[in-house]
Amino acid sequence: MQRIFSGIQPTGIPHLGNYLGAIRNWVKLQDDHDCIYCAVDLHAITVAHDPKTLAQATREMVAALLASGIDPQPSIVFHQSAVTAHLRLAWIFECVVRIGWLNRMTQFKDKAGKDRENVSAGLYTYPALMAADILAYHATRVPVGDDQRQHLELANDIGQKFNFDFCGGEPFFPLIEPVILGPAARVMSLRDGAKKMSKSDPSDQSRINLTDDADTIVLKIRRAKTDPQPLPSEPAGLEGRPEARNLVGIYAALEDIDHAAVLREYGGRGFGDFKGALSALLVAKLSPIADEMRRLLADPATIDAILRDGAQRAAALADPIVQQAERLVGYLRV
Ligand code: AMP
Ligand code: TRP
């Protein structure tokens, strides 16, 4: 069985983009893969964060994963700071990655904005840690949303350079394959079809949070930006209509159908009708997850026990691989 690894930052309640682009696919992949899923708290501190809320945000993210259907047995669910192998391999990878490669990362450019000289060095080297997360397990498939594609290409460049520099080209680190699935691999903001839905958007109206109640979901969808035309009857008609494409993609992903099937039903109808159907579908799919999250969060000791067990099983897989990488680099062993 191929090994899957993926991570999500514990920086607040996950939103519909996280769910449709990533978490939902993580759930499905459990059927035929060995899966390792990680709340990446080391990545979360690359930007300003509140130390008083990080631990609880980590539990909340884990509760969201469990409530969505991730099964901590046989899958592994843990938080990154509990397994030091990630950091040992990340340091080696920081010494393998070239500054020129990091300079090309669009996520860094977006997050740093105009204030490049004043962001943390960790934000800059973030992709080396991400490569270490995956390759410490020799994982070969990584389910993510479309925005992470460039980071995965870089992870392969790092793994291959390590193999070339320290293993005479032998494939010690395997090539990894992005798994980017479904009609909603990039969910856009409800307020602006050109921006991706994001936890860091200052407007809460721009996203659906997994814990939003039914009234909030209905209101956010009713206010979502659209254009005045009715829906087209074929996907080609979504060209140049980013907001319409986004809402149709969300509907398609939730129903597990494609854009064309949605438009066969709603083509020619106005957004009033379609938004009503979309909010009903969202409420039906998301409210059981929110209820289960609340139930899990009422019992933090159980979440912590799952994380302790997950960290132990993760470390047992990663430690021998990272020790071998350290041997290949040539550290003194005494
Ligand atoms: P993050 O919240 O940045 O840690 O992202 C966690 C996962 O959600 C990653 O696999 C992302 O690619 C995915 N993701 C984040 N935002 C979106 C979005 N707007 N649409 C689809 N996937 C997303
Ligand atoms: N960078 C990813 C994001 O922001 C999160 C992440 C960290 C990740 N390590 C990973 C995703 C390893 C996949 C595999 O979404």
Side-chain angles (χ1 to χ4, degrees), residues 5-9 18 26 38 40 43 80 107 111 126 129-131 133-134 142-145 147-148 151-152 196:
F5 183 99
S6 199
I8 187 162
Q9 301 188 61
N18 298 133
W26 300 7
C38 183
V40 290
H43 280 105
Q80 194 183 25
Q107 181 171 302
K111 285 197 179 177
Y126 176 120
L129 175 59
M130 178 164 164
D133 294 340
I134 302 162
V142 182
V144 284
D147 60 331
Q148 295 302 310
H151 284 157
L152 296 183
K196 72 173 182 182

Side-chain angles (χ1 to χ4, degrees), residues 5 17 44 75 103 109 122 138 147 156 179 189 228 232 253 280 307 310 315-316 333:
F5 183 99
S75 299
N103 284 340
K109 291 184 209 169
H138 281 171
D147 60 331
N156 273 333
V179 182
S189 155
L307 290 176
R333 297 270 145 188

Side-chain angles (χ1 to χ4, degrees), residues 276-295:
L278 178 59
S279 359
L281 185 59
L282 279 163
V283 171
K285 299 277 182 185
L286 299 188
S287 62
I289 298 178
D291 291 347
E292 179 63 7
M293 261 182 87
R294 265 188 292 279
R295 197 188 65 77

Side-chain angles (χ1 to χ4, degrees), residues 194-248:
K195 281 202 326 212
K196 72 173 182 182
M197 185 176 285
S198 156
K199 287 175 227 154
S200 56
D201 193 312
S203 164
D204 193 58
Q205 298 295 316
S206 70
R207 63 183 159 262
I208 306 271
N209 304 305
L210 289 195
T211 49
D212 282 346
D213 61 24
D215 292 346
T216 309
I217 291 177
V218 171
L219 205 65
K220 284 181 177 175
I221 293 295
R222 190 181 306 145
R223 289 192 184 144
K225 186 173 167 199
T226 47
D227 55 43
Q229 314 293 328
L231 282 165
S233 45
E234 283 172 25
L238 293 170
E239 216 52 55
R241 299 178 64 186
E243 285 86 12
R245 163 182 290 281
N246 189 38
L247 296 184
V248 171

